[in-house]
Amino acid sequence: MPLPNALPVRVLTILAGVWMSGMVLGACSGPGSTGRSSEGEPGTRIYHVQLRLTEDKGRATEALGRASRWWRERPPADRPPLVQGTSSSGRPVTITWKAPLYRVRLGPFATETQAEAVLDAARPAFSEAFVAPDRAAAPTQKR
């Protein structure tokens, strides 16, 4: 025999799940954000080409080596400039770790169009690759 209060508990559980989904999805982009960035503005979007996601540091390091060789072999005209003023702006290929995965990335690029062009060229060598938008951190002021 079902409990008389079981239905409201289920409804509340479903509503809580829907509310949490909205909170998580809403946190992905700010209000009025179009996903497009204008170059040079602090806190604007930047774009990476994510080549590999892995829990294994050895695989990430191997992918970093492959990606570095791939990038150096590209003609200069096929290598868009990197966004300056970011932690990885001096290196075109980086590994970042965000639990539980290592991320091997190219970039950062100022526009999604630049990242898409790099993605199109990289996809034959890196079938898992995709464009990953990010927020450029506002520059820190020195005292």
Side-chain angles (χ1 to χ4, degrees):
M1 174 175 225
L3 297 172
N5 292 334
L7 181 60
V9 170
R10 283 191 203 137
V11 169
L12 289 174
T13 303
I14 291 169
L15 289 174
V18 170
W19 179 78
M20 288 300 292
S21 296
M23 294 297 291
V24 169
L25 292 175
C28 292
S29 59
S33 174
T34 63
R36 304 284 179 189
S37 74
S38 54
E39 237 172 299
E41 291 180 24
T44 60
R45 289 239 187 238
I46 57 173
Y47 300 86
H48 290 88
V49 176
Q50 195 129 324
L51 302 173
R52 179 81 195 241
L53 291 169
T54 180
E55 292 179 346
D56 185 303
K57 188 174 184 178
R59 287 187 177 149
T61 302
E62 181 270 331
L64 176 75
R66 280 184 36 225
S68 295
R69 284 188 300 279
W70 179 87
W71 183 258
R72 284 191 309 270
E73 292 170 359
R74 307 293 313 150
D78 291 347
R79 290 184 280 173
L82 302 176
V83 173
Q84 297 303 307
T86 64
S87 61
S88 62
S89 62
R91 301 170 307 228
V93 186
T94 57
I95 294 177
T96 57
W97 185 80
K98 187 174 179 184
L101 299 170
Y102 291 94
R103 290 155 171 78
V104 180
R105 300 170 133 194
L106 287 168
F109 304 106
T111 67
E112 188 174 15
T113 303
Q114 289 173 327
E116 290 286 347
V118 171
L119 173 65
D120 290 343
R123 198 155 274 140
F126 300 93
S127 61
E128 302 172 7
F130 61 93
V131 171
D134 202 356
R135 290 253 179 225
T140 57
Q141 295 182 6
K142 295 182 181 178
R143 294 182 186 218

